[in-house]
């Protein structure tokens, strides 16, 4: 029932010129592969050239972050309405690198999500446990708590515009991947919490991606998991052939 969403998170990679060239190369490779949504989340200055290059293709463009205020004295920040006006469709919120290096908390993740939704953006909300939490056997408590805090005050009618990305922090950029069983279990826990908060139908419909060293070699087995509805891909989204192979796995 749920539709796969394969999304790239470019992080701090690619210039505007590289962005345009990448999308021109990727577009024919993924053309017609419409059993999944295909999204590239790119650095702020790459968004406009990405949207231009992706016109008439099945590639959708997103940002990697958004501020929670509409405007004001927040030097260096970008608002949701700015992103919306230039045609941005998606935005990543709460990525672990934002939480780790830029002091994001569940409270600011929640505020950013609300601001993005209010502007009409679709949100890819990231959460996941640290290695210490997994080793201590408290993954379930951590991801449950994050889900509850990040969704606080978000009404049920907004859920159709939110994708959750389960990203165990120990698997991001490390080459370590959660096993399909680990990914399925954690995504299932998150789905159960969404069910507790919003009911069984909402849980059934929520798209939950796995992220953390997903690549062309492991995508098929991760995407085969009942609770995994796509991927949020870092490193492998910077190579057209690897990213296309993941799109193929979803198709
Ligand atoms: P990698 O795929 O490079 O591990 O990154 C995952 C990620 O952080 C996607 O948001």
């Amino acid at each position: 029932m749920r539709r796969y969403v394969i999304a790239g998170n470019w992080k701090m990679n690619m210039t505007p010129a590289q962005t345009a060239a990448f999308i021109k190369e990727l577009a024919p490779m993924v053309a017609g592969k419409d059993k999944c949504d295909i999204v590239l989340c790119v650095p702020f200055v790459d968004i406009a050239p990405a949207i231009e290059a992706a016109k008439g293709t099945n590639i959708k463009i997103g940002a990697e972050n958004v501020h929670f205020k509409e405007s004001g004295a927040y030097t260096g920040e970008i608002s949701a309405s700015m992103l919306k006006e230039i045609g941005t469709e998606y935005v990543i919120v709460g990525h672990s690198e934002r939480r780790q290096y830029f002091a994001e908390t569940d409270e600011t993740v929640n505020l950013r999500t609300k601001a993005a939704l209010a502007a009409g953006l679709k949100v890819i909300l990231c959460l996941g446990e640290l290695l210490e939490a997994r080793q201590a056997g408290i993954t379930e408590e951590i991801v449950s708590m994050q889900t509850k805090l990040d969704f606080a005050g978000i009404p049920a009618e907004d859920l159709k515009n939110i994708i959750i990305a389960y990203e165990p922090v120990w698997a991001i950029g490390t080459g370590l991947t959660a096993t399909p069983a680990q990914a399925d279990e954690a995504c299932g826990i998150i789905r159960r919490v969404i069910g507790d908060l919003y009911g069984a139908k909402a849980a059934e419909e929520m798209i939950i991606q796995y992220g953390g060293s997903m690549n062309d070699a492991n995508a098929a087995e991760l995407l085969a998991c009942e609770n995994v509805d796509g991927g949020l891909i870092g490193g492998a989204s910077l190579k057209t052939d690897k990213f296309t192979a993941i799109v193929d796995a979803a198709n």
Side-chain angles (χ1 to χ4, degrees), residues 7-11 92 95-97 126 165 167 171-176 210-215 232-237:
N9 171 12
W10 278 5
K11 310 193 179 184
I92 295 173
H95 192 276
S96 70
E97 287 150 18
C126 304
E167 299 210 310
I172 293 177
T174 57
L176 285 177
Y210 168 78
S213 301
M214 186 185 273
N215 58 39
L232 184 57
I233 298 119
S237 75

Side-chain angles (χ1 to χ4, degrees), residues 29-40:
M29 297 169 77
V30 298
K33 296 178 179 172
D34 289 331
K35 289 215 175 70
C36 64
D37 286 333
I38 302 170
V39 184
L40 290 177

Side-chain angles (χ1 to χ4, degrees), residues 128-140 142-143 166-171 178-179 181-187 189 210:
E129 80 287 0
L130 298 169
L131 181 61
E132 294 80 352
R134 177 149 295 261
Q135 287 172 336
I138 56 168
T139 297
E140 176 162 4
I142 295 293
V143 299
Y166 165 64
E167 299 210 310
V169 180
W170 48 271
T179 64
Q182 287 171 325
D184 193 47
E185 183 187 23
C187 292
I189 291 166
Y210 168 78

Side-chain angles (χ1 to χ4, degrees), residues 1-4 35 201 204-207 226 229:
M1 246 11 171
R2 296 183 296 268
R3 199 173 153 74
Y4 282 121
K35 289 215 175 70
K201 185 166 179 287
E204 186 54 38
E205 290 173 356
M206 176 59 69
I207 294 172
E226 186 188 336
D229 308 318

Side-chain angles (χ1 to χ4, degrees), residues 19-20 23-24 40 42 44-57 59-63 82-90:
T19 298
I23 292 175
K24 290 272 176 264
L40 290 177
V42 305
F44 288 128
V45 297
D46 295 339
I47 294 173
I51 289 171
E52 183 59 32
K55 267 190 191 139
T57 76
I59 301 167
K60 300 158 196 278
I61 303 301
M82 293 172 191
L83 293 175
K84 183 70 184 173
E85 188 178 306
I86 63 165
T88 315
E89 258 186 272
Y90 289 80

